[in-house]
Each structure stands twice: as C-alpha cells, then as structure tokens.
C-alpha cells in the first residue's frame, strides 16, 4: 500500500472496503464523522497527504496526555477511526474491527469457535460473558483470515504473538480481557485434542489490575425526589414508576427488570424469583407492598392488552419487551425532571439506583452477606466495593496522626 496519499482518496477506498464487511449504517456514519474531524485537523495544520505519522499527531491532539480511560465515547471513536485509517493504508485490511452480530460462521475455525462457546454455555457461563468472549475470538479469527490462515493445523507461535502485539490500539483492560479469552480457547483446543500443541503456555502475562471506580449513589432524599417526579396519572407514568421502584427498592438490574415475566412474581407468597441475566444466579426477593401496588396499578390501568409474557412493554404499537437502554433513558429523564443537584457529574441510569440501595443498607448496618444476597452477587467480594462509600464506618477506622519530633516539621496540636 501507499505510504502517503490524499485523505479523500484513502477514504474512498476505505468506504468501499467497510461496506464489504457489512458494517451497519450507524457505524458507517461514525467513520464518516471521524474522517471529517481528521480532514479538518489536516486542513488546520496545512497537511496535504495522510500517513500514519499524521494519524498519530491527530490522536495526540485528542488525548493531550490524558489516559485512554478518561476519554469520552466520541473521543474514543475518533481514535478508532484514526487507527483504522492508518492500518488500512499500511496493510490494506482492517484486522481489529467491530464484530457484526450477523457473522457468517462457515469456515473451519469459525465452527470450532461456535463449539467452544457452546462448551462455555454448558459450563454455566453467563450469556453476557459468552458474548464478550465471542467478540474477542472473532477478532482473533479476523486476524487469522487476514494472515491467510484458514485451518488451525497451520497455526504457529508467531501468529499468536503477533496478534497480541497488534493489540496495542486497545486499552489495558481490553488487552487483558482479549488475551485471557484467547488463552482459555487455546487451552480448550489442546484439552479437546483439536490441537496437539498447547499454545496457551506462550501467552504472556498481562500486568493489569482493574481499579474499580467509586459507585455513583444518590441520597434517600434524592431518590424520593426522583419517584415524586413521575406523573402516575397516565399509562407511561404508571409503568415507569413501577420499574424505577424495582431498581430503587430491590436493586434489580435493568436487564432483569426488562425481562421480568408474570411467572417471576408469586403474589400468594409475596416474593419475586428470577434467574439473573448477568450471573445466571437465581435470587428471591420480597415483594414489598409499595412495589406490588405499583405493579398492580400498571397492570390494571396502564399495560396494553397483549399476550406477551413480559410485564413491562412498550406503550404504543407494535408492543414488545422493553430494552435496557430504554430503561436507562427513563431514569435519566426523571432524574433531570427532579432537578437533582450536580447531576452532570453523576451517572444517570438504573444501576446508580442499585448502588444507592447498597449504600442505604450499609448505613443501616446491614451485614455484607445480606447485602450480597439482596443484590444477587455471586460472592461478597463483589459487594466489598461498596465499603469505600460507607463514610461513617470509614471515619470510625481512622487513626490519629502521631506527633513527629523533628526540627524540620512543625505540627499543630489541638
């Protein structure tokens, strides 16, 4: 490929290539917006021809020495566009592309990947976990096909190491997850005798430790303001109020609220029993009077007449199950209507209400194992992150600073 060329010429070639990969319209528009930003950058800096060095300068102008994790979604997309543009110009292909849900699993390696994913499902892995591993493995598959490797019999050490080496365009967290998935897949190939060589031993150890962020929480007063902001005089308000209550009072995830069916509620025993989408763990929660009344109000006077098994459905036709982003938008709408302070510095979704419930339980001195059961965590390790927002308990653990006898240090003693 050419070392440098005019951006318009390069983009024309890339657009044809991207369409051949069956990218959806939204993704194509994302790339077009990115190329416009790139073109504006080149015009502003009087750069006539594009090459990888120009791409690096463009990326630096966006990042400005900030860590990747601090970038906005839009900024990350711009980095992605620049990296893809440079990669295509140098190699003529896009190896690390977004994976389409409508992927054609027709090749030899494709079918082995499908068998591995089914194996993970039988082992009890959550569907969301399996979907993540699928994306990682399809990136590896794209790399192999771009390297003209269509059979695992021709797989060699250098192919695996080169794939890992080319992951530099991703964040440390993504590299850690992709490499971990690849190692598990290679181990499966060896244990299943699909490969006679255990390639998993050559996978380098990625020195990465996830630093979990402090959960976003709202005070009890703010949650009450949120609930009071819902207009329950219409069908939509009745539905929204019941869904928000399930998140705020019981800490249910958006995925479980949207997928809740009539069979999940036992009215006689006053409980809710569901199999969580994220963890596949079955939890049983009390059907609080407030929550139960809100659901009944919606079912009687708000829910459209339909045979759908899901409790919460779209208000207008065609009726269907609500999706998680819809619930996120619902909670965000009412938080803004409630005029919560400093809302622009907080997360707005239903998960923040789940965090807020955990914080409230901690303030009430609820034992950690009990909170873990309420939230449906697989272990108390996941729940321990909330200990960092229990300020009252943390203050009780604080120690007095000892007086230092040093001529270079003056300390005021009350």
């Amino acid at each position: 490929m050419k070392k440098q060329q005019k951006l318009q010429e390069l983009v024309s070639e890339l657009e044809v290539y991207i369409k051949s990969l069956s990218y959806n319209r939204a993704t194509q528009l994302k790339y077009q917006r990115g190329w416009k930003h790139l073109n504006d950058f080149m015009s502003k800096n009087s750069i006539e021809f594009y090459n990888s060095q120009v791409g690096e300068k463009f990326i630096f102008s966006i990042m400005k020495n900030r860590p990747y994790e601090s970038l906005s979604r839009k900024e990350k997309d711009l980095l992605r566009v620049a990296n893809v543009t440079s990669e295509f110009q140098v190699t003529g292909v896009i190896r690390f592309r977004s994976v389409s849900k409508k992927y054609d699993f027709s090749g030899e390696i494709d079918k082995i990947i499908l068998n591995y994913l089914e194996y993970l499902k039988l082992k009890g892995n959550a569907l969301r976990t399996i979907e993540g591993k699928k994306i990682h493995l399809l990136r590896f598959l794209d790399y192999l096909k771009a390297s003209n490797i269509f059979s695992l019999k021709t797989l060699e050490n250098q192919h695996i190491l080169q794939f890992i080496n080319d992951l530099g365009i991703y964040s440390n967290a993504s590299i850690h997850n992709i490499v971990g998935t690849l190692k598990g897949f290679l181990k499966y190939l060896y244990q299943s005798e699909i490969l006679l060589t255990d390639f998993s031993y050559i996978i380098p150890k990625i020195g990465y430790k996830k630093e979990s962020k402090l959960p976003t929480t709202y005070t009890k007063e703010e949650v009450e303001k949120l609930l009071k902001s819902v207009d329950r005089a219409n069908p939509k308000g009745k539905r929204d109020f019941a869904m928000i209550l399930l998140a705020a009072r019981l800490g249910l995830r958006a995925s479980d609220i949207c997928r809740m069916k009539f069979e999940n509620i036992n009215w006689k025993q006053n409980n809710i029993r569901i199999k969580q989408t994220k963890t596949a763990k079955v939890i049983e929660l009390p059907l609080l009077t407030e929550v139960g009344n809100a659901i009944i109000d919606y079912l009687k006077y708000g829910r459209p007449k339909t045979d759908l098994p899901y409790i919460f459905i779209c208000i207008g036709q065609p009726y269907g199950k609500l999706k998680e982003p819809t619930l996120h938008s619902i909670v965000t709408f009412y938080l803004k209507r409630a005029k919560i302070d400093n809302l622009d510095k907080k997360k707005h979704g239903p998960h923040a209400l789940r965090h807020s419930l955990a914080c409230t339980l901690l303030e009430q001195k609820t034992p950690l194992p009990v909170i873990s059961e309420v939230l449906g965590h697989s272990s108390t390790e996941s729940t321990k992150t909330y200990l960092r927002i229990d300020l009252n308990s943390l203050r009780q653990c604080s120690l007095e600073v000892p007086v230092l006898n040093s001529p270079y240090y003056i300390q005021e003693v009350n």
Side-chain angles (χ1 to χ4, degrees), residues 20-22 97 99-114 134 138 141-142 145:
S20 72
L21 297 177
S22 301
R97 63 187 182 90
V99 178
S100 170
K101 292 183 178 179
K102 297 180 180 179
Y103 199 92
D104 180 21
F105 291 92
S106 57
E108 173 189 323
I109 305 178
D110 307 55
K111 293 176 181 177
I112 293 175
I113 288 177
L114 281 180
K134 174 183 176 181
L138 289 184
L141 179 61
D142 279 346
K145 289 181 177 179

Side-chain angles (χ1 to χ4, degrees), residues 243-288:
M243 297 179 78
I244 294 173
L245 270 181
L246 285 167
R249 301 291 194 245
L250 298 179
L252 287 176
R253 296 184 180 90
S255 56
D256 297 325
I257 295 174
C258 293
R259 290 175 173 80
M260 185 176 291
K261 298 181 179 180
F262 290 99
E263 63 190 45
N264 296 129
I265 300 182
N266 190 322
W267 296 100
K268 291 183 179 180
Q269 297 182 9
N270 285 324
N271 64 38
I272 297 175
R273 182 181 175 85
I274 60 172
K275 183 177 182 180
Q276 297 177 113
T277 305
K278 181 178 180 180
T279 64
K281 177 183 178 182
V282 176
I283 60 171
E284 188 173 299
L285 299 170
L287 181 61
L288 304 177

Side-chain angles (χ1 to χ4, degrees), residues 6-7 21 27 31 63 113 119 152 167-168 174 177 243 278 283 294 312 314 330 332 334 336-337 346 350 364 410 414:
K6 290 189 175 181
L7 183 62
L21 297 177
T27 302
Y31 275 95
M63 297 192 70
I113 288 177
Y119 163 77
L152 290 175
L167 291 176
S174 295
N177 292 331
M243 297 179 78
K278 181 178 180 180
I283 60 171
F312 303 106
C314 299
I330 289 171
T332 300
Y334 290 111
K336 290 180 179 178
R337 175 185 277 188
K346 293 184 175 183
Q364 296 172 351
I410 301 175
N414 293 331

